[in-house]
Amino acid sequence: MQNEWPLWEVFIRGQHGMSHRHVGSLHAPDAEMAVKNARDVYTRRNEGVSIWVVEAKHISATAPSDKGPLFEPSESKVYRHPTFFDIPDEVGHM
Amino acid sequence: MPATNKTVDQSALFQFLLRMGDNTLVLGHRVSEWCGHAPVLEEDIALANTALDLIGQTQFWLNLAGEVEGAGRDEDALAFHRDVWDFRNILLVEMPNGDFGQTLMRQFLFDAWASIMLGRLQTSSDERIAGIAAKASKEVAYHLERSADTVVGLGDGTAESHAKMQGALDYLWPYVGEMFISDDVDTAMVSASIAPDPTSLRNEYDAILERVLGQAKLSIPTSQFAHKGGRTGAIHTEHLGHLLTQMQWLQRAYPDASW
């Protein structure tokens, strides 16, 4: 596997004002080519206005086995949701 | 300036437009031959995108060519119902794909010329041509960036990739000169301010080559010899006929079939 190009994760901003979203991954020899490949693989149908790529090995991730301790405690804490306030109509969309 | 320059010899204009359209048609088909065969998925898609861009540009050029000719031929008729001797593309674009490096070297040698040519055509006295050039320029700027990067990556890569790229450059070099040879059609285009004199593009072209091929650690051949005959239609290589049998087989087997 020594000759394999490194794996890159691709993030695309769909339109101005939106945040970049993970769309997939690809292989490329360096960051510049990764951006070009991302342009060719993930924006063929006018999907984006901006591309980020990051080499997959630089992403630190949670382990699936930690799901319980990490995420389950928040399931029972409804009071953390701001749903107990009456929002005046004048505020509009939040 | 008039939107369309009627004072220019329409048959010369027709020839000029065929040259532009046949270049992108033949190269577009060549590049599409990689579809499903490229060394990696990412390059496969990128090459298919380039091919589609070139075919799209072809539609504009040949559509306008048919309009100028005024004989009722549209872009499809021009693309699929002409044989080798009626094609006006430069020989470079009909050269076989060879290996991936040779394909990308051919692409780079063409993209560099196309980027300069389309830049100049944006100030054409014919607004239709300026419009096509403006749209195509954006596509070609990306093609050039990509092919130049790949030429640098492979040229300045391993000993094997370097040798292949130098071999590709040496092999294709005799087909570079044809892009810069002027004839009567060009003279007519220049005097009507429709298109630049091909010879006037050479300095800018050489500058791009020196920069990119220098970075790629490749040596530019010194020979001035140039195969020619494609642009004028005098003579094509044996490769074009084979390409057309594939590209045109459906229309040859079922004339005017549509779906």
Side-chain angles (χ1 to χ4, degrees):
Chain A
M1 296 299 277
Q2 291 267 323
N3 292 325
E4 284 278 314
W5 288 339
L7 185 71
W8 301 78
E9 299 298 333
V10 181
F11 302 82
I12 307 264
R13 186 208 294 277
Q15 45 179 294
H16 290 294
M18 305 284 281
S19 50
H20 287 71
R21 283 185 53 201
H22 184 241
V23 294
S25 55
L26 48 73
H27 290 92
D30 56 35
E32 256 179 50
M33 283 312 292
V35 168
K36 288 193 171 69
N37 286 346
R39 181 263 192 198
D40 277 312
V41 175
Y42 292 109
T43 67
R44 305 179 73 229
R45 299 180 184 86
N46 205 24
E47 289 96 334
V49 295
S50 169
I51 298 173
W52 288 350
V53 294
V54 60
E55 209 177 329
K57 70 176 182 192
H58 294 307
I59 293 181
S60 306
T62 55
S65 55
D66 290 341
K67 216 169 70 178
L70 283 177
F71 306 118
E72 269 173 34
S74 66
E75 277 175 16
S76 53
K77 300 185 172 64
V78 289
Y79 50 85
R80 289 184 181 169
H81 294 270
T83 48
F84 302 98
F85 302 93
D86 291 325
I87 312 280
D89 291 340
E90 301 88 75
V91 173
H93 180 70
M94 277 185 82
Chain B
M1 282 194 183
T4 60
N5 195 329
K6 287 289 180 196
T7 57
V8 67
D9 176 7
Q10 294 298 291
S11 66
L13 180 57
F14 175 59
Q15 289 299 316
F16 169 77
L17 292 166
L18 283 185
R19 290 172 177 185
M20 294 303 295
D22 287 349
N23 278 346
T24 50
L25 174 61
V26 172
L27 185 60
H29 185 80
R30 270 285 182 244
V31 176
S32 79
E33 291 171 0
W34 273 103
C35 195
H37 300 279
V40 293
L41 174 101
E42 290 82 353
E43 292 296 340
D44 201 289
I45 297 177
L47 284 169
N49 288 348
T50 301
L52 285 170
D53 286 347
L54 293 169
I55 300 297
Q57 292 169 22
T58 303
Q59 286 181 308
F60 289 115
W61 291 124
L62 292 188
N63 180 14
L64 182 53
E67 204 179 298
V68 166
E69 186 193 31
R73 293 201 279 184
D74 63 6
E75 68 266 31
D76 288 332
L78 288 169
F80 296 111
H81 292 183
R82 283 181 301 151
D83 210 337
V84 174
W85 46 82
D86 290 325
F87 274 76
R88 296 292 180 267
N89 57 280
I90 50 171
L91 301 177
L92 175 72
V93 297
E94 65 195 49
M95 298 309 285
N97 284 338
D99 59 24
F100 180 73
Q102 184 176 312
T103 293
L104 266 294
M105 180 60 79
R106 183 188 61 202
Q107 192 66 36
F108 168 66
L109 294 172
F110 179 81
D111 290 341
W113 171 83
S115 69
I116 304 165
M117 183 66 170
L118 292 170
R120 303 279 183 94
L121 288 179
Q122 289 184 54
T123 56
S124 171
S125 64
D126 189 319
E127 282 176 10
R128 300 169 300 182
I129 291 174
I132 297 171
K135 184 174 189 301
S137 274
K138 294 197 185 94
E139 295 171 347
V140 169
Y142 179 75
H143 297 171
L144 177 61
E145 215 182 295
R146 188 170 187 104
S147 60
D149 266 12
T150 313
V151 164
V152 171
L154 293 174
D156 187 19
T158 65
E160 184 186 351
S161 71
H162 174 83
K164 285 188 173 181
M165 293 313 274
Q166 186 64 56
L169 178 58
D170 294 346
Y171 174 67
L172 294 169
W173 186 251
Y175 299 93
V176 166
E178 186 185 11
M179 293 187 273
F180 307 100
I181 299 172
S182 304
D183 66 5
D184 293 348
V185 170
D186 298 305
T187 310
M189 293 306 105
V190 171
S191 59
S193 303
I194 287 178
D197 185 341
T199 54
S200 72
L201 310 178
R202 186 77 206 228
N203 285 347
E204 215 177 314
Y205 185 80
D206 286 342
I208 296 177
L209 259 58
E210 275 161 36
R211 177 172 57 80
V212 173
L213 297 177
Q215 267 182 281
K217 308 244 164 50
L218 297 169
S219 29
I220 300 174
T222 49
S223 167
Q224 299 293 312
F225 173 72
H227 290 292
K228 55 181 183 289
R231 284 184 92 229
T232 59
I235 188 166
H236 281 278
T237 68
E238 72 204 81
H239 307 295
L240 182 60
H242 292 280
L243 180 150
L244 294 184
T245 58
Q246 286 225 328
M247 192 182 85
Q248 298 179 334
W249 80 267
L250 195 138
Q251 284 297 320
R252 291 182 184 193
Y254 308 97
D256 298 317
S258 65
W259 63 89

